[in-house]
Amino acid sequence: MALNLLLASHKSPDPKAFQPMPDPLFTVIAADDHPVVLSGIRLVLRAAGEFKLLAETQDGATTLAAIEKEVPDLLILDLWMGDNDGIELLRRIHDRWPSIRVLVYSMNDERSYGARALRAGAAGYLMKSHGLDELVNALRVVAADGRYLSDDLAAELIGNGLHAKPCAITTLSDRELQILRLIGMEQTPSTIAKSLNINTKTLSVHCENLKNKLNLANSDALARQAEHWVESHVL
């Protein structure tokens, strides 16, 4: 009797319960030289469900190689991975793979780098201080062909469009800001010139422009300003 009751209570399995989960909508590569950050990105993407993480990279060369192999829908990009110039790397990626939507996820001050990253091809800019939960929201925006900007950055871009007076750093060209960073990292003029593939005369011209735009009296003042700026803004 007990056996009959047990058999009578048994239900056929619901075929829907055995259907495979749908594939994620968007493929992603994460580029960051901090393993803890990559671990966090991996966890939030897995929890979100609609993203598939194809690769994790920690410098410019491996990032380009991974993109060449996978060609993802989305790239999460830290601007500074070691000595890599993030703006130049971003520009190279955008020129070669314009369909990839790039979200810059960085500790670097958006007031200095946000507009530059957008001009170089980024679809969005998110400072790491906003946290990983906001990273998922930002990815969803750029994946939907939108632009992700913080309220502060959006207001600044609008203000500049309305001819608001820019701060001194924002008046620098991408090359000048690149040189300021390298000076702040205490690289010698010959090393800077070689890494940028320019001659020392051209470098001297850029340094003079930096001193004029930043209202600095001499090269020593430029070096001090550059070191202070790197300590404050480039992480």
Side-chain angles (χ1 to χ4, degrees), residues 14-54:
D14 183 356
K16 293 182 179 179
F18 293 90
Q19 290 181 351
M21 293 292 290
D23 291 334
L25 296 177
F26 303 104
T27 54
V28 184
I29 287 176
D32 196 296
D33 62 351
H34 294 87
V36 173
V37 174
L38 287 174
S39 178
I41 291 173
R42 188 186 317 126
L43 290 175
V44 297
L45 293 187
R46 185 181 301 160
E50 70 261 43
F51 304 104
K52 179 180 181 181
L53 185 60
L54 299 177

Side-chain angles (χ1 to χ4, degrees), residues 180-181 183-186 220-233:
L180 183 71
R181 172 179 176 264
I183 293 172
M185 294 173 66
E186 301 183 2
D220 288 340
L222 174 59
R224 289 193 298 271
Q225 178 71 19
E227 290 172 10
H228 174 73
W229 188 82
V230 165
E231 291 173 358
S232 303
H233 295 83

Side-chain angles (χ1 to χ4, degrees), residues 91-128:
R91 189 176 289 112
R92 289 177 63 186
I93 292 169
H94 182 67
D95 287 346
R96 187 167 180 185
W97 298 281
S99 65
I100 297 175
R101 305 286 288 172
V102 181
L103 175 68
V104 172
Y105 186 52
S106 178
M107 287 295 292
N108 293 271
D109 192 337
E110 65 184 6
R111 292 171 298 176
S112 299
Y113 283 100
R116 298 173 194 276
L118 295 174
R119 288 197 299 266
Y125 195 103
L126 175 66
M127 292 184 64
K128 290 178 180 176

